[in-house]
Amino acid sequence: MRILLVEDERKIANFIERGLKEKKYVVDVSHDGEDGLFKAEINPYDLILLDVMLPKVDGVAVCKELRKKKIDTPILMLTARDAVKDRITGLNSGADDYLNKPFAFEELLARIRALLRRQRTEKIDELKIADLELNLLNHEVKRSGKSIELTNKEYILLEYLMMHTNQVITRTMISEHVWKEDFNSLSNVIDVHIRYLRRKIDSGHKTKLIHTIRGSGYILKDSQ
Ligand code: CA
């Protein structure tokens, strides 16, 4: 799950970003409305956390602009003001929910989960290939019904592979999505993580799901 956080107060942005990463979300951060709009238009997000008071373009304007462009990603507005008028303005501009600052992180998480769940009612909560299951909402992974403990990076990597089952995923795609940076071609960080993941997912199972495509990358599939 990939979330865009648009928040100009660095301390709050860092706090939210760190908390969400611990909960295995992929997080991009923008510190002003203009950059937020730009990122929201070019990247596919599952959710946008949008502060109202922002430099350059304010949150309400960002929201309106995204809806005008038919980007229907769920938006949770973060507002410092506890005024009914602001909430109504926010919701009228196309936001799905709002949360008043200051808030408890648990409250933010609960709202995020609720929005993601609502968004996914007609989609799926669970990704499945062979007997491997991944729950997109509580981030639980099971193989043959048995729970598998993954680190945050391993989870994000596996979720990415499972969202692109039967497609070759290059190292560049993985480094951009999971690490959000380009590794030079000699780096073996990805291969090391794939090895860990294989050990947890495939080891001891007759059917191997993670396959290496020599010179290209990896593919998650249910056969040789
Ligand atoms: Ca602000």
Side-chain angles (χ1 to χ4, degrees):
M1 292 278 178
R2 190 170 178 186
I3 294 176
L4 174 64
L5 168 64
V6 192
E7 168 63 79
D8 58 318
E9 284 167 73
R10 305 269 167 163
K11 261 172 90 174
I12 299 178
N14 287 344
F15 164 74
I16 297 175
E17 184 188 14
R18 221 173 326 122
L20 290 177
K21 282 183 172 167
E22 270 169 30
K23 294 290 174 186
K24 299 184 166 71
Y25 291 100
V26 176
V27 186
D28 289 344
V29 183
S30 287
H31 295 292
D32 65 66
E34 199 178 87
D35 184 63
L37 256 180
F38 174 73
K39 284 199 169 86
E41 283 172 32
I42 60 164
N43 299 314
Y45 292 106
D46 297 292
L47 186 101
I48 299 170
L49 297 176
L50 186 59
D51 186 28
V52 174
M53 305 282 275
L54 287 169
K56 296 187 184 170
V57 185
D58 74 50
V60 171
V62 169
C63 199
K64 280 187 183 156
E65 186 63 22
L66 289 176
R67 296 312 187 221
K68 211 173 89 188
K69 292 191 165 152
K70 306 279 177 236
I71 294 169
D72 61 357
T73 312
I75 294 176
L76 175 58
M77 287 270 212
L78 307 175
T79 173
R81 296 167 298 180
D82 189 13
V84 176
K85 187 172 148 277
D86 289 334
R87 293 182 206 164
I88 293 169
T89 309
L91 294 174
N92 280 347
S93 69
D96 297 271
D97 199 2
Y98 61 87
L99 187 58
N100 290 318
K101 288 198 245 179
F103 49 79
F105 188 72
E106 283 307 316
E107 174 66 18
L108 175 68
L109 268 187
R111 299 291 188 95
I112 289 175
R113 288 192 185 120
L115 275 182
L116 289 174
R117 192 169 294 133
R118 201 198 298 169
Q119 166 79 353
R120 303 194 80 80
T121 45
E122 284 145 43
K123 299 186 191 168
I124 35 148
D125 289 345
E126 199 158 80
L127 302 175
K128 201 170 188 293
I129 175 172
D131 55 355
L132 177 65
E133 298 160 62
L134 180 146
N135 188 304
L136 290 164
L137 295 173
N138 65 17
H139 299 159
E140 207 173 63
V141 175
K142 288 180 185 169
R143 179 123 198 219
S144 297
K146 267 180 74 179
S147 258
I148 297 171
E149 283 295 322
L150 298 179
T151 64
N152 292 352
K153 283 276 185 277
E154 287 164 1
Y155 173 85
I156 293 167
L157 178 57
L158 182 64
E159 185 189 82
Y160 190 59
L161 289 171
M162 287 188 83
M163 280 182 165
H164 301 88
T165 312
N166 297 316
Q167 295 170 38
V168 176
I169 302 300
T170 64
R171 284 182 183 77
T172 308
M173 289 162 79
I174 292 174
S175 67
E176 280 171 6
H177 181 81
V178 182
W179 281 270
K180 298 211 246 121
E181 55 188 296
D182 276 319
F183 292 126
N184 67 55
S185 53
L186 293 175
S187 167
N188 68 347
V189 175
I190 293 169
D191 306 75
V192 169
H193 277 79
I194 289 278
R195 204 183 310 141
Y196 292 155
L197 203 51
R198 270 201 172 117
R199 214 174 284 161
K200 294 183 179 179
I201 300 299
D202 278 341
S203 182
H205 293 273
K206 207 173 154 203
T207 309
K208 307 296 179 204
L209 300 174
I210 301 170
H211 304 268
T212 304
I213 308 294
R214 197 170 286 220
S216 309
Y218 301 96
I219 189 166
L220 191 77
K221 58 178 182 144
D222 190 4
S223 58
Q224 280 310 308

